[in-house]
Amino acid sequence: MAMGSFGWISLTTDYGTFDGFVAACHGVIARQAPDVRVIDVTHHVPPADVARGAAVLAQTAPHLPPSVHVAVVDPGVGTERRGIVIETPNGLLVGPDNGLLVWAAEALGGIESVVELTNEDWFLGDISRTFHGRDIFSPVAARLALGAPLTDAGRTVDPQSVVRLPDPVVAIGDGWIEAEVVTVDRFGNVQLAASGAMLRGLGPELLLSGSVKARRGQTFGDAGPGELIVFEDSAGRVAIAVNGGRAVVVLSVTPGDVVRIAER
Amino acid sequence: MAMGSFGWISLTTDYGTFDGFVAACHGVIARQAPDVRVIDVTHHVPPADVARGAAVLAQTAPHLPPSVHVAVVDPGVGTERRGIVIETPNGLLVGPDNGLLVWAAEALGGIESVVELTNEDWFLGDISRTFHGRDIFSPVAARLALGAPLTDAGRTVDPQSVVRLPDPVVAIGDGWIEAEVVTVDRFGNVQLAASGAMLRGLGPELLLSGSVKARRGQTFGDAGPGELIVFEDSAGRVAIAVNGGRAVVVLSVTPGDVVRIAER
Amino acid sequence: MAMGSFGWISLTTDYGTFDGFVAACHGVIARQAPDVRVIDVTHHVPPADVARGAAVLAQTAPHLPPSVHVAVVDPGVGTERRGIVIETPNGLLVGPDNGLLVWAAEALGGIESVVELTNEDWFLGDISRTFHGRDIFSPVAARLALGAPLTDAGRTVDPQSVVRLPDPVVAIGDGWIEAEVVTVDRFGNVQLAASGAMLRGLGPELLLSGSVKARRGQTFGDAGPGELIVFEDSAGRVAIAVNGGRAVVVLSVTPGDVVRIAER
């Protein structure tokens, strides 16, 4: 397994920016790998919402330069859950083995190998039980970015042993799609697990969840003010928006809910 | 039109930091122009509030190093509204042609030329209809920062054709000023469209909107705790603050409202 | 006093990220010291909460590379309060003399010398009365990072003259600790002023403030769902968490309150 070095590390956490947690991770990286640059994906994953963190990272990582991606949404920190590195054809992923990294690994070309972080020489000297982002994942990422061999990080493990989140519900029939809400963005747009290609079989006039009228379109302005539009979003997923409003409020849904889109 | 290169790109958006949208823009820039550095002006412009974005950018850009400033507050994304670059004596501005860039252009020395972004070779290969920040404005900014000629970005257009926001209301008389609220900052300080110089004609004891007592001063501590102060703020505008409180609450105003400041 | 140069500047403020204030500081630094890199500790210190800013900076600065640390939580801006630089064995601290910098100075090895910022040649040309972060502290930090002698920043003053915050309450007895709440983090974990070592004298079954049951442990998962745990946190302080919940809500405390931890 020949590894090169990486010029970039990305960070995705639920740490927020109210405390100094994110800065401590930046600091640990800067001390060990001062020439590596950091891109913050987001630190506003809702606390312990692993699926949300997984979705944001998977949709963002392909747009970043080749990186060591660190992700920490980790309600099991300090317990027996493993820390891992996943190798993909387009970068490395470092974080807890709780499903957080897998969707991003697939978006980066698939899992090539997995190493459990068992080499304590790579950790900070005095490891806290509650802040592995600072004490384990950041220093490991710094070493990997500098070109240290992945296999030096610990023990190679079977990719089949990696924890996966349940696949979100997606079903398609004649004139309808049913799909789980994956995320709701800042604008209140509702993103479904269905891929945008699934829209091709549907006509222009739609009904959402049996009662809400919507139109197919390509962008917000394709509907009148206040009207709902169903479109392929910038991540290639089916999404629902309101021109000038918040679809999440109109539909009253939350991630995990299933939305049915049917022709009228 | 000889253009040099720029070491910096700034970003001003309404994307928030809850999603990965900002990181995707950073990533596109990093892939194309890895040595260019990015300064985030703010990503917390309220969704679709073009005037707020325009005000923040105009007041911040003059303090940044010479940059390509990307701004995206863009409720019309994907419709017929144009994408443009504005050239100024002190940097370039890239974004939608909806008024967002013009106040900053004036703060940077005025509009020298305008190019409509019609050269699709500069866009990402597969352009979404809803995320031009990632797919158009960031890659265009990266090219410009690397020194590509502005005229290669598209078709030169008449600066008079650029969309402008309405000028905010400002009026001055004998012992009074009336001016529109431009922005309210994080501390609840209320900034008016009037320039600080207009304060010079007023005495020290003031009345706001006919009923609220205030004093002229230079900083918060020039008033007693809970008292209102009228001062020239750090952007050179007339502003109203409460020592130890939030003027926006006391005055109960919002951007677009007009405040009258008169001598008592 | 021989000073070297610093590759890093850190920023800790109550400016928020809604306005362009933070970006203006980044810009001033970038213009003067383009090769110096900036780490944002946090900009979400609650407005004017000097103790909160002091605590976050003190707990984060030791994890950063050697830096010039700028901190601005400054309700007295523009009044007679001094601007200072504190020299420590592990970096410099720049900001208002209101107690904000002192805990960080101690965390970085103690105060070696203090200089009052009286050299106006180091300030921006036209100093506002309300934005010393941009006009004084950032340009001073940029000069110091570039290696300018500390004593050129102004007049050396007696370290004993520096304003200090009151020490938080900490008391320990046979089977109990009483300590002030220092901070509450994003996860609702309550951090006390007591050092983690003080926990060693306590048994595993605890009572908080006379009525709430808790357990000693090392990480969140050491308690059952919804149970309280008392642990040494990643900053080496005694902290209280709820596994899967928010301790601050269960305890209904706020910084400055005193919590009593006693054996059951």
Side-chain angles (χ1 to χ4, degrees), chain C:
Chain C
M1 194 178 335
M3 293 301 308
S5 59
F6 292 87
W8 301 86
I9 289 174
S10 89
L11 296 180
T12 304
T13 75
D14 64 353
Y15 290 160
T17 49
F18 177 72
D19 304 289
F21 302 141
V22 171
C25 295
H26 278 253
V28 167
I29 293 165
R31 291 163 73 105
Q32 271 189 260
D35 293 332
V36 170
R37 285 159 70 188
V38 179
I39 292 179
D40 296 291
V41 172
T42 181
H43 300 290
H44 294 101
V45 177
D49 189 342
V50 176
R52 166 74 192 174
V56 173
L57 181 58
Q59 295 182 20
T60 308
H63 298 285
L64 305 190
S67 302
V68 182
H69 302 282
V70 176
V72 196
V73 181
D74 193 13
V77 61
T79 65
E80 291 302 301
R81 72 100 188 89
R82 304 185 295 190
I84 56 173
V85 186
I86 298 180
E87 184 187 22
T88 80
N90 294 294
L92 301 176
L93 294 146
V94 178
D97 179 23
N98 63 5
L100 179 64
L101 309 176
V102 175
W103 295 347
E106 290 166 352
L108 293 172
I111 298 178
E112 291 189 334
S113 71
V114 181
V115 170
E116 182 181 354
L117 301 177
T118 51
N119 180 359
E120 298 186 5
D121 292 345
W122 283 25
F123 303 168
L124 283 204
D126 192 16
I127 303 161
S128 70
R129 288 287 299 275
T130 52
F131 194 3
H132 287 189
R134 179 191 71 193
D135 298 340
I136 296 179
F137 302 131
S138 290
V140 164
R143 293 239 188 191
L144 292 169
L146 290 174
L150 176 55
T151 46
D152 286 4
R155 181 177 59 209
T156 300
V157 298
D158 181 358
Q160 296 296 325
S161 73
V162 169
V163 173
R164 297 182 62 95
L165 298 171
D167 286 326
V169 172
V170 180
I172 184 162
D174 187 20
W176 59 268
I177 301 169
E178 285 185 356
E180 200 171 313
V181 175
V182 177
T183 70
V184 177
D185 74 17
R186 197 244 171 158
F187 302 94
N189 300 331
V190 172
Q191 184 189 60
L192 305 181
S195 79
M198 292 184 180
L199 281 179
R200 284 174 207 146
L202 298 184
E205 304 286 324
L206 302 172
L207 203 62
L208 306 181
S209 300
S211 61
V212 181
K213 288 183 181 174
R215 301 179 60 79
R216 273 195 58 189
Q218 292 189 289
T219 187
F220 315 119
D222 290 347
E227 285 188 345
L228 282 97
I229 188 158
V230 177
F231 65 108
E232 178 174 341
D233 75 4
S234 62
R237 302 291 185 99
V238 175
I240 306 164
V242 171
N243 185 11
R246 295 180 65 79
V248 67
V249 174
V250 175
L251 296 173
S252 193
V253 290
T254 197
D257 290 349
V258 172
V259 173
R260 182 183 176 92
I261 303 174
E263 295 178 356
R264 273 190 258 164

Side-chain angles (χ1 to χ4, degrees), chain A residues 8 37 39-46 52 56 59-66 183-187 218-222 231-235 243 246, chain B residues 14-21 23-24 26-28 30-31 34-38 43-48 75 77-79 124 128-131 134-135:
Chain A
W8 302 86
R37 285 159 71 189
I39 292 178
D40 296 291
V41 172
T42 180
H43 299 291
H44 294 101
V45 176
R52 166 74 191 172
V56 173
Q59 295 181 19
T60 307
H63 298 286
L64 305 189
T183 72
V184 177
D185 73 17
R186 193 242 176 164
F187 302 94
Q218 292 190 290
T219 188
F220 315 120
D222 290 346
F231 64 108
E232 178 173 341
D233 75 4
S234 62
N243 185 10
R246 295 180 67 78
Chain B
D14 63 353
Y15 290 160
T17 51
F18 177 72
D19 304 290
F21 302 141
H26 278 253
V28 167
R31 291 163 72 105
D35 294 332
V36 171
R37 286 158 71 189
V38 178
H43 298 290
H44 295 101
V45 177
V77 62
T79 64
L124 284 203
S128 70
R129 288 287 299 276
T130 52
F131 193 3
R134 180 191 71 192
D135 298 341

Side-chain angles (χ1 to χ4, degrees), chain A residues 59-79:
Chain A
Q59 295 181 19
T60 307
H63 298 286
L64 305 189
S67 302
V68 181
H69 303 281
V70 176
V72 197
V73 182
D74 193 14
V77 62
T79 65

